[in-house]
Amino acid sequence: MAFGRKKDTYKETERYEKMCPRVFFIYLAIIAFCVIVISPLVIVFSSSLRVPENQASPLILFTQFSLESYKQAWASMNYPMEFLNSVMTTVGSVFLIIIFATMAAYPIGRIKTKFARFLYFFFISGLIVPSQMVIVPVAQTISRLNVPNTRFTPMLMFITCSLPFSVFLFSGFMKSVPVEIEESAYLDGAGLGTRFFSVVFPLLKPATVSAVITQGLWIWNDYFYPMVFISRKNQYSLPVGMIQFLGDKENPAQWNILFAACVLCALPLILIFTVLQKQFINGIAAGAVKG
């Protein structure tokens, strides 16, 4: 018995020695990847701490610590107003996306007919065509319908472009919700609306969290649709407000102020993720497994 244990220990040691070089290169690749990803963020943060007149190489990190660039970015962007515009646009769009997507995915995931399958592929087909390809006819249609260019106009595009992926996500997750729960509620006299909002919708929480994260992030960071559909400066969102620091042929780019504006734009997302990190990770993991 002792000889057998020594033999097994020797095999495990030999196997560990063979895995060591492989594990070393795996960790080395992970470290290199993290350095590549984090380096631009460090450069942006370092440059944002310089005064606007400091045009030294951004690769020279943390040579100056000043909040002057943040002060100018805050004042030039009218940060409180643009922050409020971004919040209203993002929260309103995500709320309507969740409502419309769950209501569309409910019959698609429950009804086993050819028409329901057609609707599923109809929504999925929206993932194939980039929305930027049809922006010109869409903008012309909105103009002919006399839709005013306000901070809420881009929400039409945000909701439309987010529905295909959201319906796809909720339809897959809907299949994991037991039908027996609805049947018991139906026997208790619950109507369709009560069954959906009181029974089914709470069980879609993991998929809802996943949809809020994926769609909320790109809506918050998107500048294309607000730039196209918003004409008044006091209704700009944060990404559009940052564009003014890029400059043009006559006015050079104000890089330090632009980097400070980038940090201010990303700061709310960082704070939200820090506070709700556990819920975000659990929602994504559950959505990936059950969806």
Side-chain angles (χ1 to χ4, degrees):
M1 294 292 294
F3 177 75
R5 291 178 181 177
K6 290 182 179 180
K7 189 175 181 180
D8 294 339
T9 304
Y10 174 75
K11 289 182 178 180
E12 292 178 0
T13 305
E14 185 178 5
R15 186 185 308 161
Y16 177 77
E17 291 177 352
K18 290 181 179 180
M19 290 180 60
C20 278
R22 185 187 306 173
V23 174
F24 172 76
F25 285 111
I26 291 175
Y27 278 106
L28 186 63
I30 294 174
I31 293 174
F33 176 78
C34 292
V35 170
I36 293 173
V37 173
I38 295 175
S39 294
L41 304 179
V42 175
I43 293 173
V44 167
F45 183 66
S46 172
S47 299
S48 68
L49 294 175
R50 300 178 179 181
V51 295
E53 296 78 15
N54 188 349
Q55 298 297 326
S57 174
L59 298 180
I60 305 175
L61 303 176
F62 300 106
T63 58
Q64 194 174 21
F65 297 91
S66 173
L67 297 178
E68 187 62 30
S69 295
Y70 286 94
K71 293 179 181 178
Q72 291 195 23
W74 182 285
S76 300
M77 293 174 62
N78 192 6
Y79 185 85
M81 179 59 68
E82 293 184 359
F83 174 77
L84 182 61
N85 294 336
S86 294
V87 169
M88 288 191 296
T89 303
T90 303
V91 173
S93 299
V94 171
F95 175 77
L96 294 176
I97 289 167
I98 298 301
I99 296 299
F100 293 154
T102 51
M103 294 179 68
Y106 179 69
I108 292 176
R110 285 288 185 257
I111 302 174
K112 307 299 181 181
T113 61
K114 292 183 178 180
F115 182 70
R117 189 172 181 83
F118 165 77
L119 288 178
Y120 175 76
F121 286 108
F122 174 77
F123 280 103
I124 295 301
S125 63
L127 296 172
I128 301 174
V129 182
S131 58
Q132 290 79 3
M133 291 181 60
V134 296
I135 189 62
V136 174
V138 169
Q140 292 176 348
T141 303
I142 291 177
S143 177
R144 291 174 182 176
L145 292 175
N146 295 323
V147 177
N149 292 333
T150 65
R151 60 174 62 90
F152 302 107
T153 307
M155 292 174 58
L156 298 175
M157 295 301 300
F158 290 143
I159 297 171
T160 304
C161 297
S162 299
L163 279 179
F165 174 78
S166 301
V167 171
F168 169 75
L169 178 66
F170 282 108
S171 297
F173 197 88
M174 192 75 67
K175 298 177 183 178
S176 65
V177 179
V179 184
E180 291 76 12
I181 299 178
E182 289 186 69
E183 293 177 348
S184 61
Y186 176 75
L187 294 176
D188 291 337
L192 179 61
T194 304
R195 296 200 305 271
F196 175 74
F197 287 105
S198 300
V199 179
V200 177
F201 188 79
L203 298 177
L204 300 176
K205 180 180 178 181
T208 303
V209 174
S210 301
V212 169
I213 296 172
T214 55
Q215 305 310 307
L217 283 177
W218 88 266
I219 292 174
W220 178 272
N221 293 321
D222 185 78
Y223 75 92
F224 180 73
Y225 295 122
M227 183 179 61
V228 172
F229 293 105
I230 297 178
S231 56
R232 298 179 182 177
K233 187 176 180 180
N234 62 347
Q235 296 185 354
Y236 283 167
S237 59
L238 286 175
V240 180
M242 292 190 301
I243 299 178
Q244 63 179 313
F245 301 119
L246 288 177
D248 48 30
K249 294 182 179 180
E250 299 179 357
N251 300 315
Q254 300 171 313
W255 292 110
N256 295 342
I257 302 178
L258 175 60
F259 291 151
C262 291
V263 175
L264 291 175
C265 183
L267 187 60
L269 298 180
I270 296 174
L271 295 177
I272 292 175
F273 181 79
T274 302
V275 176
L276 303 177
Q277 182 178 4
K278 183 177 180 181
Q279 288 79 357
F280 282 175
I281 295 176
N282 292 339
I284 292 177
V289 173
K290 295 185 178 181

